[in-house]
Amino acid sequence: MPTQEILDSVLEEVRPLIGQGKVADYIPALAKIPASKLAIAVFTNEGELIKSGDADEAFSIQSISKALSLTLAMGIYQPEEIWSRVGKEPSGQAFNSMIQLEMEQGIPRNPFINAGAIVVADLLQSRLSAPRQRLLEFARQLSGDSHIVYDKVVAASEMLHSDRNAAIAYLMRSFGNFSNDVIPVLNNYFHACALKMSCADLAKTFSYLANKGTSVQTQKQIVTPTQTKQLNALLATCGLYDGAGEFAYRVGMPGKSGVGGGIIAVVPGEMTIAVWSPELDASGNSLAGTKALEILSERIGRSIF
Amino acid sequence: MPTQEILDSVLEEVRPLIGQGKVADYIPALAKIPASKLAIAVFTNEGELIKSGDADEAFSIQSISKALSLTLAMGIYQPEEIWSRVGKEPSGQAFNSMIQLEMEQGIPRNPFINAGAIVVADLLQSRLSAPRQRLLEFARQLSGDSHIVYDKVVAASEMLHSDRNAAIAYLMRSFGNFSNDVIPVLNNYFHACALKMSCADLAKTFSYLANKGTSVQTQKQIVTPTQTKQLNALLATCGLYDGAGEFAYRVGMPGKSGVGGGIIAVVPGEMTIAVWSPELDASGNSLAGTKALEILSERIGRSIF
Amino acid sequence: MPTQEILDSVLEEVRPLIGQGKVADYIPALAKIPASKLAIAVFTNEGELIKSGDADEAFSIQSISKALSLTLAMGIYQPEEIWSRVGKEPSGQAFNSMIQLEMEQGIPRNPFINAGAIVVADLLQSRLSAPRQRLLEFARQLSGDSHIVYDKVVAASEMLHSDRNAAIAYLMRSFGNFSNDVIPVLNNYFHACALKMSCADLAKTFSYLANKGTSVQTQKQIVTPTQTKQLNALLATCGLYDGAGEFAYRVGMPGKSGVGGGIIAVVPGEMTIAVWSPELDASGNSLAGTKALEILSERIGRSIF
Amino acid sequence: MPTQEILDSVLEEVRPLIGQGKVADYIPALAKIPASKLAIAVFTNEGELIKSGDADEAFSIQSISKALSLTLAMGIYQPEEIWSRVGKEPSGQAFNSMIQLEMEQGIPRNPFINAGAIVVADLLQSRLSAPRQRLLEFARQLSGDSHIVYDKVVAASEMLHSDRNAAIAYLMRSFGNFSNDVIPVLNNYFHACALKMSCADLAKTFSYLANKGTSVQTQKQIVTPTQTKQLNALLATCGLYDGAGEFAYRVGMPGKSGVGGGIIAVVPGEMTIAVWSPELDASGNSLAGTKALEILSERIGRSIF
């Protein structure tokens, strides 16, 4: 089990890496985040929260939300309704590539690349009356933090730079793999990305992934044990963009990253971990965050492999 | 822990699937294997072997040998010598595609697609005086079965149908990622694929993957605990061709398949499993074999996720 | 010079081919055109019009309009303003592929694939106050036929099936190669495709391509002699989708086809030819129309090669 | 008709461009050619040879030989025997790309990219007893220059750098589109590329392309008038690598370039032109050579468009 001391020392060990990565700058709201932010939080299946650094400061979780949206969709759709529209395989390409999407007839490789997450947003739009509000409540309940909000500036800024994602949505529509109007679905998708949560929030929120589907925070069952295993499998093979293999090799935990610099990772049966450091590596994953997880994995002797 | 009874019942459960897949037929020697063959073997970290069906019958392990060759290479090369020449990421494409290889300057995605395994064969060729003999001895020692041989008919037949793999090797050479003459390296590569081993042999051979790098059979350390974790991570993300995500989703174990219909799978800390059923699914993995592992995983409640 | 007799006999010779191609059916308005329609018209640089078959019946000119739009753009833009945004090379891919567009950073290969024509529509939108009306007047003047109209049903139907083209436009926008709102530009683009013109209209309209840039019909200079040569060069290498090589091989004239079954072809210095037969070959070009041009080329001994 | 004066002035006009391109350096034998070489030769259908600069100095014709090899193949094979194995369309990709070749099942796009020319070499190998000697005699007869030889150093050097072309040949073999052993065919292919000819030789050699298939030099019929038209069509759409569209736009003549810096161009019915300047542009075509043809085309008012 990680102690406060271990978490503190892990952060000190990776702090010198700050300056070697690059803060996401495709929208101004992300570009202005100080590169010096650094945080880690662990939430154990016993309900203990251990944290270090800026672990209570909320940041833009970005693509980490894709794991939350998929969880929501798995609760309201039959498996075949989801997996006929999005695959389960690593993409082997950059997260927003359209080449594979065209060659594979509009079926995205997995729910964690942009195209796949947009399909999930389309699914939520079709069956929920207020998908945006529902996702927010879901995050608030799972984290126990009622102050979680959407960062409206980020969401609006994403919408202003949405051409690539609009192209993806229209391409899927041209293949019959998109049911709703493009704009509102993208708007919800960008809001999900604009969720502001802290590492403490995130570690608590995803505790069901370490606890056979039951939230440690709320003690409610979110997904079945089998679905939990499936979610972790998808995270392990597809959760880190085109760096999933490297992450498995170095860290050895199912995980999901976001371009805001956050990463969540799961030690099934034991704990959920969240890290944050805004600078990204070449694959778009938090550079110091990945290193922190790698060191922690060695220090506590935990990995799925 | 799996019992004899469990293994027997798993095989009975999947036997009706025979007829729904397709035996590999790109070389005659594989095409003539009876589709009815069915086997499973489990080797625990305590040294217990449990088996059912045709578990003592040797078959062509094909790409399962890629895990063995990589293990051998990791013992004689520094990590950076290997990973500068082959990646660690899933390919997202068919196992023998050259498109990605050209776009990524002759660096194969991972050591378990053909291109990557041919790079590993090139590495072994450069540093071993008799790589083919060495690999055979390695398999014999790890399995404790001194009767393991290369199937000369299969190896010769592969060599006769080697144009695609020759194209791959020459393309890598044109990018400076191939050091030896193409033909002898391919010949060794095809011999590795032509190793004949039974499920019992395979479960014992790969026991080091479940036992922090130490062979349960020989009690010798084959790779370090960290290398073991790395090997399992690579198997989990890249070991099943373009079906790694589906395999993780359904089975949840690091694994490696071959077009001969064999699959090995690892439960770290507990056991190694080998299955065999010659008919393949659309991704080139044993159809009934995958199902057997999926059922066994549920029955014994074991998975890495 | 072709005579009435030659044109009649060419049509009779190709009529048996009707039934071997496939009428475009991606929108209902095109699908319902009788496959039996067959027409040819020749307009000589001396102003003589020779025609046969349904040569006075207007049909949807579809992509033939791309040549007209480019001509319009060449009149109001400097060459570098156009050719920095769209290339001059054959695509080697299907006319609506997005793969190349992504790999080449949003710069379409040439102005005659959809992406390139949409860039031209974006250019016209930026500099003309009423681009749609202007194009219509252009067609009316050049043909001398004041009854030419847009087929509103076709334009509306295209707009309903515009997802693929919207994806193309948004992808180019994401690369900074699109200046206006997507919807109005697409709407104008679809209207251009929905121009209804007869073979007689088309042969007259494009007479400037055979006459060093001066319209034979109006005796006005439309483009310079050098621009005429450039337009013909682009038509010869890129005008027939992914069948330009085959068309050059068989017919040997610069040309532009549309999925409505029309093709225009140019014999520089002598004449412009228009053919119409709704059934298409595998490349999307009129099957009997191409054959008619091939036979005519042989019969009158004219080709650019 | 070009005069001596015109040719002299064209060369003076383009000479300042020397220094802006890049001499091919993938083999040493090409890299050492002085960048200052500059030549032009015109051979009219009346048999007049006009030349300027280094027009009698032999250089490595490289890919220009692909037009000669195809001519030879068209004389000994039925059209369908050739065109079932190689296409007639521009590739839209770099001349040695394997991506398209894999996606299109081993059928090269056209006979002027490497893959296509290797298929032609395979065809010649299958039906000629001494293809290498035959091609040499063909070049000697057509040019009337009995001193033409293969540059053995260049051929040997190409063979040493043949990995990419070997990959291409083996890939086609894996698709069943290659009949002979790879090495001897490549050896002949490289010898063809290593033909040493002057601009004067080249202009005379290809005179049949301007003269309905009959060599102006020998007055023998080399190909039929229809085949001549077909060859010119293929040259116009595919003869300049991925710069065919630009060449048509600027020069407006069927042509074929080589990385030795030579280009041949055809004015059907009038003349054949050869230029030489070793520095290449980004598409691999002679930079000053292309410009010389562009200026000459304007000066004499000749182009096919």
Side-chain angles (χ1 to χ4, degrees):
Chain A
M1 276 304 129
T3 62
Q4 180 67 45
E5 203 169 28
I6 288 176
L7 296 194
D8 291 347
S9 79
V10 166
L11 289 198
E12 286 328 296
E13 208 165 321
V14 303
R15 201 179 294 277
L17 294 177
I18 295 173
Q20 298 185 16
K22 194 170 173 321
V23 176
D25 58 2
Y26 70 101
I27 57 170
L30 288 180
K32 70 181 186 200
I33 303 295
S36 60
K37 295 294 177 185
L38 189 60
I40 189 165
V42 173
F43 191 58
T44 70
N45 283 7
E46 288 70 42
E48 189 185 5
L49 179 72
I50 317 147
K51 60 192 180 186
S52 184
D54 308 304
D56 289 317
E57 183 168 338
F59 59 92
S60 194
I61 71 167
Q62 293 291 322
S63 292
I64 299 176
S65 65
K66 293 178 166 82
L68 211 55
S69 296
L70 177 61
T71 301
L72 210 49
M74 287 173 79
I76 55 180
Y77 279 96
Q78 292 303 309
E80 62 274 18
E81 292 175 306
I82 297 174
W83 306 118
S84 61
R85 293 192 48 192
V86 56
K88 307 189 196 88
E89 296 304 326
S91 69
Q93 296 198 14
F95 66 97
N96 59 357
S97 169
M98 301 185 72
I99 293 174
Q100 205 166 43
L101 191 58
E102 178 176 352
M103 292 181 70
E104 301 186 351
Q105 310 293 310
I107 305 294
R109 277 260 146 177
N110 65 65
F112 299 141
I113 53 172
N114 285 14
I118 291 170
V119 162
V120 171
D122 185 53
L123 284 164
L124 295 180
Q125 182 86 352
S126 294
R127 208 163 278 184
L128 295 177
S129 56
R132 202 186 301 175
Q133 189 54 29
R134 174 70 180 276
L135 186 72
L136 184 60
E137 283 160 16
F138 196 45
R140 286 176 175 176
Q141 287 165 5
L142 286 172
S143 65
D145 178 353
S146 61
H147 298 97
I148 291 173
V149 291
Y150 289 120
D151 185 327
K152 293 287 179 187
V153 175
V154 168
S157 189
E158 301 268 16
M159 205 64 201
L160 278 175
H161 297 79
S162 63
D163 292 329
R164 172 62 73 118
N165 286 309
I168 289 171
Y170 277 109
L171 182 59
M172 294 194 293
R173 237 169 91 113
S174 77
F175 282 111
N177 193 21
F178 200 90
S179 307
N180 298 284
D181 283 345
V182 166
I183 302 302
V185 171
L186 285 186
N187 206 0
N188 286 343
Y189 168 74
F190 288 132
H191 271 80
C193 292
L195 270 175
K196 284 194 74 169
M197 298 174 71
S198 68
C199 279
D201 289 338
L202 286 167
K204 288 184 189 171
T205 296
F206 288 102
S207 65
Y208 62 93
L209 291 176
N211 194 36
K212 294 183 189 302
T214 296
S215 165
V216 176
Q217 175 69 20
T218 68
Q219 289 303 319
K220 285 192 190 145
Q221 186 170 328
I222 307 305
V223 284
T224 67
T226 295
Q227 288 176 320
T228 307
K229 183 178 138 178
Q230 293 165 344
L231 277 163
N232 283 328
L234 291 166
L235 291 170
T237 50
C238 316
L240 278 286
Y241 305 128
D242 202 14
E246 183 77 19
F247 189 82
Y249 181 89
R250 288 172 51 196
V251 176
M253 300 176 188
K256 184 73 206 82
S257 60
V259 292
I263 309 177
I264 58 132
V266 180
V267 183
E270 303 201 42
M271 71 190 87
T272 310
I273 309 165
V275 294
W276 178 38
S277 171
E279 289 182 352
L280 309 179
D281 64 19
S283 295
N285 300 313
S286 174
L287 191 147
T290 303
K291 188 66 184 173
L293 288 170
E294 182 181 3
I295 295 171
L296 182 65
S297 163
E298 286 167 16
R299 203 68 56 82
I300 63 175
R302 291 297 186 283
S303 127
I304 58 172
F305 298 120
Chain B
M1 273 305 129
T3 60
Q4 180 67 44
E5 203 170 28
I6 288 176
L7 296 194
D8 291 347
S9 78
V10 165
L11 290 199
E12 287 327 296
E13 209 166 320
V14 304
R15 200 179 295 276
L17 294 177
I18 295 172
Q20 298 185 15
K22 194 170 172 324
V23 175
D25 59 2
Y26 69 101
I27 57 170
L30 288 180
K32 70 180 186 202
I33 303 296
S36 59
K37 295 294 177 184
L38 189 61
I40 190 165
V42 172
F43 191 57
T44 72
N45 283 7
E46 288 70 43
E48 189 186 3
L49 180 73
I50 317 146
K51 61 192 179 188
S52 184
D54 308 305
D56 289 316
E57 182 167 338
F59 60 92
S60 194
I61 70 167
Q62 294 291 323
S63 292
I64 298 176
S65 66
K66 293 178 165 82
L68 210 56
S69 296
L70 177 61
T71 301
L72 210 49
M74 286 174 79
I76 54 180
Y77 279 95
Q78 293 302 309
E80 63 274 18
E81 293 175 306
I82 297 174
W83 305 118
S84 61
R85 294 191 50 193
V86 57
K88 306 189 196 87
E89 297 304 326
S91 69
Q93 296 197 14
F95 67 95
N96 59 357
S97 169
M98 302 185 72
I99 293 174
Q100 204 166 44
L101 191 58
E102 178 176 353
M103 292 182 70
E104 301 187 351
Q105 309 293 310
I107 305 294
R109 276 260 145 175
N110 66 64
F112 299 139
I113 53 172
N114 284 15
I118 291 170
V119 162
V120 171
D122 185 53
L123 284 164
L124 295 178
Q125 182 87 351
S126 294
R127 208 163 278 183
L128 295 177
S129 57
R132 201 186 301 177
Q133 189 54 29
R134 174 70 180 277
L135 185 73
L136 184 60
E137 284 161 15
F138 195 44
R140 286 175 174 175
Q141 288 165 6
L142 287 172
S143 65
D145 178 354
S146 61
H147 298 96
I148 291 172
V149 292
Y150 290 120
D151 186 327
K152 294 287 180 186
V153 175
V154 167
S157 189
E158 300 269 15
M159 205 64 200
L160 278 175
H161 296 79
S162 64
D163 292 328
R164 172 63 72 119
N165 286 308
I168 288 171
Y170 277 108
L171 181 60
M172 296 193 294
R173 235 168 94 115
S174 76
F175 282 111
N177 194 23
F178 200 91
S179 307
N180 299 283
D181 283 345
V182 166
I183 301 302
V185 172
L186 285 186
N187 206 359
N188 286 343
Y189 167 74
F190 289 131
H191 271 80
C193 293
L195 270 175
K196 284 194 76 168
M197 298 173 71
S198 67
C199 279
D201 289 338
L202 286 167
K204 288 184 187 171
T205 295
F206 288 101
S207 65
Y208 61 94
L209 291 176
N211 192 38
K212 294 183 188 301
T214 297
S215 165
V216 175
Q217 174 70 20
T218 68
Q219 288 302 319
K220 286 192 188 145
Q221 186 170 324
I222 307 304
V223 284
T224 68
T226 295
Q227 287 176 321
T228 308
K229 184 178 136 177
Q230 293 166 343
L231 277 163
N232 283 328
L234 290 165
L235 291 171
T237 51
C238 317
L240 278 284
Y241 306 128
D242 202 15
E246 183 77 19
F247 189 81
Y249 181 90
R250 288 172 50 194
V251 176
M253 301 176 188
K256 184 74 206 81
S257 60
V259 292
I263 309 177
I264 57 131
V266 181
V267 183
E270 301 200 43
M271 72 190 87
T272 310
I273 309 167
V275 294
W276 178 40
S277 171
E279 288 183 351
L280 309 178
D281 64 20
S283 296
N285 300 312
S286 173
L287 192 147
T290 303
K291 188 66 184 173
L293 289 169
E294 182 181 3
I295 296 171
L296 182 65
S297 164
E298 287 167 17
R299 203 67 57 83
I300 63 175
R302 291 296 186 284
S303 128
I304 59 171
F305 299 119
Chain C
M1 275 304 130
T3 60
Q4 180 67 45
E5 200 169 30
I6 289 177
L7 296 194
D8 292 346
S9 79
V10 166
L11 290 200
E12 285 327 294
E13 207 165 322
V14 303
R15 200 179 295 277
L17 294 177
I18 295 174
Q20 297 185 16
K22 196 171 171 322
V23 175
D25 58 2
Y26 70 100
I27 57 168
L30 288 180
K32 71 179 185 202
I33 302 297
S36 59
K37 295 294 176 185
L38 189 61
I40 190 165
V42 172
F43 192 58
T44 70
N45 283 7
E46 289 70 42
E48 189 185 5
L49 179 72
I50 316 146
K51 60 193 180 187
S52 183
D54 308 304
D56 289 315
E57 182 168 337
F59 59 92
S60 194
I61 71 166
Q62 293 291 322
S63 292
I64 298 175
S65 66
K66 294 178 165 82
L68 210 55
S69 296
L70 177 61
T71 300
L72 211 48
M74 287 173 79
I76 55 180
Y77 279 96
Q78 291 302 310
E80 62 275 18
E81 293 176 305
I82 297 174
W83 305 117
S84 61
R85 294 190 51 192
V86 56
K88 305 189 197 87
E89 296 303 327
S91 69
Q93 294 196 16
F95 66 97
N96 58 357
S97 169
M98 301 186 71
I99 293 175
Q100 205 167 42
L101 191 59
E102 178 176 354
M103 292 183 70
E104 301 187 350
Q105 310 293 308
I107 305 295
R109 276 260 146 176
N110 66 64
F112 300 140
I113 54 172
N114 285 13
I118 291 170
V119 162
V120 171
D122 185 52
L123 284 164
L124 295 179
Q125 182 85 352
S126 294
R127 208 162 277 184
L128 295 177
S129 56
R132 201 186 300 175
Q133 189 55 29
R134 174 69 180 276
L135 186 73
L136 184 60
E137 283 161 15
F138 196 45
R140 286 176 174 177
Q141 287 165 6
L142 286 172
S143 66
D145 178 354
S146 61
H147 297 97
I148 291 173
V149 291
Y150 289 121
D151 186 327
K152 293 287 178 187
V153 174
V154 167
S157 189
E158 301 269 15
M159 205 65 200
L160 279 175
H161 295 80
S162 64
D163 291 329
R164 172 60 74 116
N165 286 309
I168 288 171
Y170 277 109
L171 182 59
M172 295 194 294
R173 236 168 93 114
S174 77
F175 282 111
N177 193 22
F178 200 90
S179 307
N180 299 284
D181 283 344
V182 166
I183 301 302
V185 172
L186 285 186
N187 206 359
N188 286 343
Y189 168 73
F190 288 131
H191 271 80
C193 292
L195 270 174
K196 284 194 76 168
M197 297 173 72
S198 67
C199 280
D201 289 338
L202 286 167
K204 287 184 189 170
T205 295
F206 288 101
S207 65
Y208 62 94
L209 291 176
N211 193 36
K212 295 183 188 301
T214 296
S215 166
V216 176
Q217 174 70 21
T218 67
Q219 288 302 319
K220 286 193 189 145
Q221 186 169 328
I222 307 304
V223 284
T224 67
T226 296
Q227 287 175 322
T228 307
K229 181 177 140 179
Q230 293 166 343
L231 276 163
N232 283 329
L234 291 165
L235 291 170
T237 51
C238 316
L240 279 284
Y241 305 128
D242 202 13
E246 183 76 19
F247 189 81
Y249 181 89
R250 288 172 50 196
V251 175
M253 301 176 188
K256 183 75 206 82
S257 60
V259 292
I263 308 178
I264 57 130
V266 180
V267 183
E270 302 200 41
M271 72 189 88
T272 310
I273 309 167
V275 294
W276 178 39
S277 171
E279 289 183 350
L280 310 178
D281 64 20
S283 295
N285 300 313
S286 174
L287 193 146
T290 304
K291 189 65 185 176
L293 289 168
E294 183 181 1
I295 295 172
L296 182 64
S297 164
E298 287 165 18
R299 203 69 55 85
I300 63 175
R302 291 297 185 283
S303 128
I304 59 172
F305 300 119
Chain D
M1 274 304 128
T3 61
Q4 180 67 44
E5 202 169 28
I6 289 177
L7 295 195
D8 291 347
S9 78
V10 166
L11 289 199
E12 285 328 295
E13 207 166 322
V14 303
R15 201 179 294 276
L17 293 177
I18 294 173
Q20 297 185 16
K22 194 169 174 322
V23 175
D25 58 2
Y26 70 101
I27 57 170
L30 288 180
K32 69 179 186 203
I33 302 297
S36 59
K37 295 295 178 185
L38 189 61
I40 190 165
V42 172
F43 192 57
T44 70
N45 283 7
E46 289 69 43
E48 189 186 5
L49 179 72
I50 317 146
K51 59 192 179 186
S52 183
D54 308 305
D56 288 316
E57 183 168 337
F59 60 91
S60 195
I61 71 166
Q62 294 290 323
S63 292
I64 298 175
S65 66
K66 293 177 165 82
L68 210 55
S69 296
L70 177 61
T71 301
L72 211 48
M74 286 173 80
I76 55 181
Y77 279 95
Q78 291 303 309
E80 62 274 19
E81 292 176 306
I82 298 175
W83 305 118
S84 60
R85 293 190 51 191
V86 57
K88 306 188 196 89
E89 296 303 326
S91 69
Q93 295 198 15
F95 66 96
N96 58 358
S97 169
M98 300 185 72
I99 293 174
Q100 204 166 45
L101 191 57
E102 179 177 352
M103 291 181 70
E104 301 188 351
Q105 310 293 310
I107 305 294
R109 276 259 147 177
N110 65 65
F112 299 140
I113 54 173
N114 284 13
I118 292 170
V119 162
V120 171
D122 185 53
L123 284 164
L124 296 180
Q125 183 85 354
S126 294
R127 208 163 277 184
L128 295 176
S129 56
R132 201 185 302 177
Q133 189 55 30
R134 173 70 180 277
L135 186 72
L136 183 60
E137 282 160 16
F138 196 45
R140 287 176 174 175
Q141 288 165 5
L142 286 172
S143 66
D145 178 355
S146 61
H147 297 96
I148 291 172
V149 291
Y150 289 121
D151 185 327
K152 293 289 180 187
V153 174
V154 167
S157 189
E158 300 268 16
M159 205 63 200
L160 278 176
H161 295 80
S162 64
D163 291 327
R164 171 63 73 117
N165 286 309
I168 288 171
Y170 277 109
L171 182 59
M172 295 193 294
R173 237 169 93 113
S174 77
F175 283 110
N177 193 22
F178 200 91
S179 307
N180 298 284
D181 283 344
V182 166
I183 302 301
V185 172
L186 285 185
N187 206 358
N188 286 343
Y189 168 74
F190 289 131
H191 271 79
C193 293
L195 270 175
K196 284 194 76 169
M197 297 173 72
S198 67
C199 280
D201 288 339
L202 286 167
K204 288 185 190 172
T205 295
F206 288 102
S207 65
Y208 62 93
L209 291 176
N211 194 36
K212 295 183 189 299
T214 297
S215 166
V216 176
Q217 174 70 20
T218 68
Q219 289 302 321
K220 286 193 188 144
Q221 186 170 328
I222 308 304
V223 283
T224 68
T226 296
Q227 287 176 321
T228 307
K229 183 178 138 179
Q230 293 166 343
L231 277 163
N232 283 329
L234 291 165
L235 290 170
T237 51
C238 317
L240 278 283
Y241 304 129
D242 203 14
E246 184 76 20
F247 190 81
Y249 181 90
R250 288 172 51 196
V251 176
M253 301 175 187
K256 184 74 206 80
S257 60
V259 293
I263 308 177
I264 58 131
V266 180
V267 182
E270 303 201 39
M271 71 190 87
T272 309
I273 309 167
V275 294
W276 178 39
S277 171
E279 289 184 352
L280 309 179
D281 64 19
S283 296
N285 300 314
S286 174
L287 193 146
T290 303
K291 189 65 185 172
L293 289 170
E294 183 182 0
I295 295 172
L296 182 65
S297 163
E298 286 166 18
R299 202 69 56 84
I300 63 174
R302 290 296 186 284
S303 129
I304 58 172
F305 299 120

